[in-house]
Amino acid sequence: MKTKNLFLVSVAMPNYGQDQFISQAILGVLSQKADFEIELIVANDCSPDNTEAIVQEIIHTHPNGSWIKYTRHAENKGAIPNFAWSISQAKGKYIAICEGDDYWTDPLKIQKQVDFLEKNKDYSIIFHKVKEIDASGNQTDTNILNSPEEEQTYDLKHLTAGNFIHTPSVVFRKNFNELPPWIVYSPLGDYPLHMLNAQYGLIKYVPEEMAVYRVGNGVWSSQSRNHRIINTMFTVKLLTLHFFNHKEIYHLLSNRYKHLLESLTNHNKTLSPEAAAYKLSFKKLFMIIIKKMKHLIK
């Protein structure tokens, strides 16, 4: 009989207003078969729906309901602060993420990914192929992130060109005791998290489809093109501050910021009214953050 390993794996599940999906997300985690302990951190960001009752029902009736560490915030924190909070609660040697509208389809997903990280100490992150569906459950015609059909190894430099890791696919080593405080100001939660983790090792991709990502329901996939670009620019700017002393990464991020700005301009090299409004609002917010957070940017 195989004995369980002594270490813990944490799964962060931030959610808001996803009561129609949350059961499927939770059951995908509770179905995992592993030779280590698992904790599922369900962070309900004060949802005005039936999430509370659904989660409590699963806790009290599912054989693995004790895995769930459930919190309903008294006040709404916002998507990124709640995302960061759920990560900060993780006690595991490894951390996985499954937001409340996504779900896992392979009961051996976590075991496979943790086995790889246990055997390959020079890797910090492992992720895999996912299936993208719309809110109705139908497979999308085009994918937000295109995944190759063969295994790949990436590093921090590859990530500077853009995020290629689907949130419900990732497992990473807990490389930090706490996230840097500035991360809650980023309009993107998972991208700076992956950048921070990639400082500590390589990134492995496996072309095995083991999770589903729901397009159009989340904060990111429901945004307009210009809104996404501006949000990415803002996050890249924060990352340039973090990597200020890492000359190569700083240079790559700075160049990406310039290219993102160029992509917002029309044939007359001027910003569209929508893009100009977004850029102005984020520039003002960024300057406020710089003044308040200088001592926190490391």
Side-chain angles (χ1 to χ4, degrees):
M1 183 176 178
K2 194 173 184 180
T3 58
K4 279 186 175 286
N5 287 313
L6 296 177
F7 62 78
L8 177 73
V9 172
S10 300
V11 182
M13 185 176 287
N15 64 92
Y16 174 80
Q18 296 165 336
D19 61 348
Q20 70 270 47
F21 306 125
I22 193 70
S23 177
Q24 192 172 29
I26 292 174
L27 294 178
V29 176
L30 299 188
S31 71
Q32 294 298 298
K33 302 181 187 303
D35 63 3
F36 43 77
E37 299 295 328
I38 297 174
E39 67 169 1
L40 171 57
I41 301 159
V42 180
N44 178 357
D45 199 15
C46 196
S47 298
D49 59 15
N50 203 36
T51 296
E52 172 97 15
I54 294 170
V55 176
Q56 293 295 347
E57 175 71 13
I58 295 173
I59 289 174
H60 291 103
T61 61
H62 195 282
N64 293 329
S66 61
W67 294 5
I68 300 174
K69 308 297 186 292
Y70 176 68
T71 298
R72 183 184 189 277
H73 300 306
E75 296 181 356
N76 181 265
K77 288 179 173 289
I80 304 305
N82 188 41
F83 175 88
W85 184 90
S86 66
I87 299 293
S88 73
Q89 301 305 298
K91 298 180 175 64
K93 180 178 180 181
Y94 302 100
I95 301 174
I97 305 171
C98 184
E99 296 183 327
D101 56 341
D102 302 325
Y103 61 97
W104 297 347
T105 56
D106 186 342
L108 295 176
K109 166 190 153 66
I110 292 293
Q111 184 71 64
K112 295 172 184 177
Q113 292 179 282
V114 168
D115 282 349
F116 177 85
L117 292 175
E118 282 286 285
K119 294 174 183 175
N120 298 273
K121 304 299 184 183
D122 52 336
Y123 283 78
S124 178
I125 302 170
I126 180 171
F127 72 106
H128 58 76
K129 186 177 182 179
V130 307
K131 179 181 180 180
E132 292 187 8
I133 64 172
D134 60 26
S136 299
N138 301 313
Q139 186 161 359
T140 57
D141 295 328
T142 58
N143 292 333
I144 291 179
L145 296 179
N146 292 314
S147 303
E149 295 301 324
E150 57 281 327
E151 291 189 5
Q152 299 286 344
T153 291
Y154 303 101
D155 59 20
L156 179 60
K157 288 187 289 185
H158 290 108
L159 264 182
T160 61
N163 184 27
F164 44 77
I165 300 174
H166 263 303
T167 308
S169 75
V170 72
V171 175
F172 55 89
R173 299 182 191 278
K174 187 178 182 182
N175 296 306
F176 43 78
N177 290 322
E178 59 182 26
L179 292 171
W182 58 261
I183 203 168
V184 300
Y185 291 95
S186 168
L188 284 62
D190 52 351
Y191 179 51
L193 176 66
H194 302 329
M195 287 286 291
L196 294 171
N197 281 316
Q199 297 175 99
Y200 300 96
L202 297 170
I203 305 166
K204 181 68 173 181
Y205 165 77
V206 291
E208 188 174 355
E209 190 178 279
M210 296 186 281
V212 171
Y213 175 80
R214 209 177 299 270
V215 178
N217 191 68
V219 174
W220 177 253
S221 60
S222 61
Q223 294 174 4
S224 69
R225 171 187 175 273
N226 283 346
H227 201 172
R228 287 185 193 177
I229 293 173
I230 294 294
N231 280 333
T232 302
M233 289 171 62
F234 189 83
T235 299
V236 168
K237 201 70 170 177
L238 282 172
L239 285 166
T240 60
L241 296 175
H242 181 86
F243 288 98
F244 183 77
N245 293 321
H246 193 312
K247 290 185 178 180
E248 183 178 16
I249 301 303
Y250 176 83
H251 177 72
L252 290 170
L253 288 169
S254 298
N255 280 342
R256 186 178 177 211
Y257 182 90
K258 293 175 183 177
H259 292 152
L260 286 167
L261 180 60
E262 289 172 359
S263 71
L264 288 174
T265 60
N266 58 27
H267 62 280
N268 294 321
K269 300 300 181 182
T270 58
L271 293 177
S272 68
E274 180 194 31
Y278 278 133
K279 185 172 185 293
L280 179 61
S281 63
F282 278 107
K283 182 177 181 181
K284 290 178 179 178
L285 178 57
F286 187 79
M287 295 311 297
I288 292 171
I289 291 171
I290 293 299
K291 290 178 181 178
K292 291 185 176 180
M293 306 280 288
K294 274 185 179 179
H295 64 292
L296 297 176
I297 303 292
K298 298 179 180 178

